[in-house]
Amino acid sequence: MSWLPLSFGAPIVLFGLLALPVIWWLLRFTPPRPRTELFPPLKILARVLKREETPRQSPWWLTLLRLLMAALVIMALADPVLNPREEAPARGAGLALVIDNGWASAPDWDKRVATARRLIADAGTSDIPVILAFTAEKPNADIGPFDANAALDRLRATMPRPIPTDRQAVYARVGEALAAMPGAGIAVLSDGLEAPDDRPAFAALLARGAASLIWAAPERIAPIALTATENEVDGFSLTAIRAPGNAASARLTAGAFDDKGRRIADAVLAFSAGEDTATATMTVPFELRNDFASVALDGERHAGAVRVLDESSRRRRVGLISQSEADQAQPLLSPLYYIRRALSPFADLIEPSNPDLAEAIPQILDQKPAMIIMSDVGAMPEQARARLADWVQGGGTLVRFAGPRLANAGNDDLLPVRLRGGERNFGGALSWTTPQPVTEFPPSGPFADLTPPRDVTVSRQVLAEPSADIVDRTWASLADGTPLVTGAKRGKGSIVLFHIAPTATWSNLPISGSFVEMLQRVVLLSRNQGSIETPADATPAALAPYRMIAADGALVPPTPEARPLTPGAGAAVTMENPPGLYGSEAGVLAHNLLSSESRLQPIERPQAQVPVTEIAYAFDESSRLKGPFIAAALVLMALDTLAVLWMGGVLARRRKGRNAATTAAASLLLAASLSVLLVQNASAQDAKPDDAASIEAISTTRLAYVITGTSGVDAVSRAGLQGLTRFLIEKTSMEPGEPAGVDIARDELAFYPLIYWPIDPASPMPDEEAIARIDAYMRQGGTVLFDTRDQYSSGFGEGSASPATQRLRDILGNLNIPPLEPVPADHVLTKSFYMVPEFPGRFNGSPMWVEASLDASNDDNRPVRTGDGVSPILITANDLAGAWAIDAGGEPLFPTVPPDPMQRVYALRGGVNIMMYMLTGNYKSDQVHVPILLERLGQ
């Protein structure tokens, strides 16, 4: 039963509202207890004449309150629901839920999950099994059947994938599973996009006699995707698509990012009304375009809105040099005509202003090209040739074409192979040979995956001298085995030689499509600064995953499911090969989700012979109101109780009693205040001005440090003790108060178990009275920790003393100091809380000096301590406060020397041991007597 926007899970309970008139009648004629007021003079009359008086009826407002409370209870029992959702319960023996989780589902995945969760909850209510399958998962993924709880767990663990859906394979598996559940219902939650082979996929799904079909699809296909990017002559072009049927125009921005994720260019894509394709161009210099690593659409958070780029999308700057001047009347005979036509679509071409090689070569090199092409260039000036050779050694690619000048120029080191003098002519009047065709490209060369041109022949060429490595340097050859293209490495660069002229006079290769492909391949190699060896069987090497495109369009590290990609025209985006970059830092291959032919077409709902229910993707906004109704009824019950108490006079009597108690308490408080004032006035002459400070000092344990008068030293001391205090609170049950700075000449020292004294030679020497106070403090059980902080100057007890050590000697010379020794390995200090073998501070190396044991000369018989007393003096040079010191944020103020993070930890642990030793003595030394005590007790 549904009364929008309110429905009830048990509407039959609402018939209880019909009982409200009866309840009203009962409440109306059952008034509350009358209010009783006692009048003392009439108590005798009350005993003589006692008449029961009852109001005629209950007040109307109290009756209304109780009726409303009863109505709320009845409505709560009817299980009210605000904004009830439309239920689509599964019919039949089970529910087969198939969900698209491909790239197009990423933008509104949460809404799809909420819809699926409602369907699974309805199936759980009906107690039927659920088959749960996703169309972008592994082919062998478990699809059930599950119970409702297991299906919900599987749903929560699944995320959208940056790959296309595979409905045909998944629907076939679901259809096979439905064979064991005849009459089950099917729910299809699609991403709204049409996929290949949708018709046979739906046919296989519905062929098992389903009882019903629940169909969910988005109202419109919202994602906009990138299908192509091209680094052109005048800019970087982008192409985006959207689903048809969008009548409104749209504008969005695309950004280009470098390999570090920095945005370096923008472009605006505008969809006209009714148009499904939009293009834009980023007009930026080609040097900046070559830094593009990815392009993404703003506001589109899915894998289709991102395209990654590799070397194939980067334009190169190519220099062209020829010693022959072009004939304007016959451009087809120009030596650079076909080269320009072949390279201009994907490279930026530069040419010198002067054909003289002495000026042309430096002009081209000054513009830092990736590749230089020389057409029929023979001997070169020595200075230009040397500079060109250095450029090749540094990583440049030099491509040379043959011609009469090169054939007669002799050999130099800027050729990949040695040449024979002159040229070879096929099919001439004095030659018995015929023009030679091009044979298969060698599998070890860069043209291995290109199709050799069948209609290309060569009539003239320059021949290479036979050598042991001529086969390895041959990239293309003729049918008679002579090289057509050779190449060799020179340092970080390469030299390539076409053994023909770049015009159609020596061969028809320059006017074929293979000429363009071969030049383009050489241009791509020029940017890589080398090539990867190709296996002899010509099978491209698989590239490891490098950076993947996630479902939300972010570039992330490879997932465990990603596998190496075998390059090729047929490489598809799959679960094992998701979109992204494959390779390594030395070179990557872009594997994008969509191609330039991709289109976003809406899916068509299949024609089914079973009842079809269409639902929309939506979040569950329903709210159960049973709890709020019960809470409101309880509030009304409380108000009813207060009203009855008020009408009976109970609250009035309590208020009178409370007023009397308040008056008495006020009188007592006033009397106590007057007494306190009198006592204070009487003892005002006996009070000391520092009593409050004394009470505060003894109320909690506090660490203290000696105020030296040097602000820097005192600030470090306070920060160090604050750091130790915080560490004590975190690691022990002790909670010290804020550290206190003490003036040994005036302040009371007995309040503090330990006083930290940083020795500063710049501070004044304490006077005799202050030394006497320190001596008395140490005799009465206190301990002073002296820290000279000069470990790397001169340690305590060494022959040559630092100023701080000398000042310490002057101070100790006026004190009654017991014999000292470095802390023994078995001393209580080493195990009072932590096990610490040494006591480092900001520095490390100085021992901690303590009072020596009585039998210090006998290491075997030395006791842990000679009594329960604590050493009155500790001496170190490791700057403990510097290691303990922290700032307001809790971070260390000073680095340790050496910079070891554990040294600070050991310093804090040593500070904890010192405090435990000060407060508890040598209680742990009693453990050595445990065997004797147990023996005496007879245990």
Side-chain angles (χ1 to χ4, degrees), residues 5-7 79-85 620-625:
L6 186 67
S7 69
D79 194 11
V81 179
L82 182 64
N83 295 324
R85 61 179 176 84
D620 190 359
E621 298 179 353
S622 61
S623 302
R624 296 192 175 275
L625 299 180

Side-chain angles (χ1 to χ4, degrees), residues 235-373:
F236 195 90
S237 64
L238 314 172
T239 302
I241 59 172
R242 64 178 180 178
N246 293 280
S249 59
R251 292 171 61 89
L252 70 161
T253 305
F257 303 85
D258 62 8
D259 56 358
K260 295 183 179 179
R262 297 172 297 192
R263 193 182 187 109
I264 54 180
D266 293 304
V268 176
L269 290 138
F271 287 92
S272 302
E275 294 292 334
D276 305 331
T277 305
T279 59
T281 301
M282 295 180 180
T283 307
V284 293
F286 85 94
E287 291 91 350
L288 193 61
R289 300 200 301 269
N290 285 344
D291 290 335
F292 290 179
S294 63
V295 180
L297 297 176
D298 293 344
E300 296 290 326
R301 300 187 60 80
H302 55 84
V306 179
R307 289 188 73 83
V308 291
L309 309 175
D310 55 16
E311 289 293 326
S312 62
S313 64
R314 290 168 170 81
R315 294 180 66 87
R316 276 70 164 182
R317 176 176 289 170
V318 179
L320 304 180
I321 298 177
S322 174
Q323 289 184 284
S324 300
E325 296 183 0
D327 187 352
Q328 300 297 330
Q330 294 179 316
L332 297 180
L333 298 180
S334 170
L336 297 176
Y337 176 81
Y338 295 104
I339 296 176
R340 293 192 191 99
R341 295 291 300 271
L343 295 179
S344 58
F346 55 88
D348 289 315
L349 306 180
I350 54 176
E351 298 185 43
S353 60
N354 192 331
D356 184 10
L357 295 179
E359 297 182 12
I361 293 176
Q363 284 183 11
I364 294 296
L365 293 178
D366 289 342
Q367 299 185 57
K368 298 181 179 179
M371 186 172 76
I372 294 178
I373 298 179

Side-chain angles (χ1 to χ4, degrees), residues 338-460:
Y338 295 104
I339 296 176
R340 293 192 191 99
R341 295 291 300 271
L343 295 179
S344 58
F346 55 88
D348 289 315
L349 306 180
I350 54 176
E351 298 185 43
S353 60
N354 192 331
D356 184 10
L357 295 179
E359 297 182 12
I361 293 176
Q363 284 183 11
I364 294 296
L365 293 178
D366 289 342
Q367 299 185 57
K368 298 181 179 179
M371 186 172 76
I372 294 178
I373 298 179
M374 290 184 172
S375 174
D376 192 21
V377 174
M380 290 176 279
E382 181 58 30
Q383 185 175 1
R385 191 202 63 79
R387 185 174 176 187
L388 184 62
D390 293 339
W391 172 79
V392 172
Q393 290 287 334
T397 299
L398 175 63
V399 179
R400 303 185 67 174
F401 281 83
R405 291 183 178 85
L406 182 62
N408 298 316
N411 291 286
D412 61 24
D413 57 352
L414 293 180
L415 290 173
V417 294
R418 292 184 59 82
L419 300 179
R420 291 182 177 180
E423 59 189 65
R424 180 188 181 191
N425 190 2
F426 302 93
L430 300 179
S431 176
W432 57 272
T433 58
T434 58
Q436 294 292 308
V438 179
T439 187
E440 296 287 338
F441 293 124
S444 60
F447 309 140
D449 58 340
L450 299 181
T451 302
R454 301 301 180 185
D455 54 347
V456 169
T457 58
V458 176
S459 58
R460 297 172 66 183

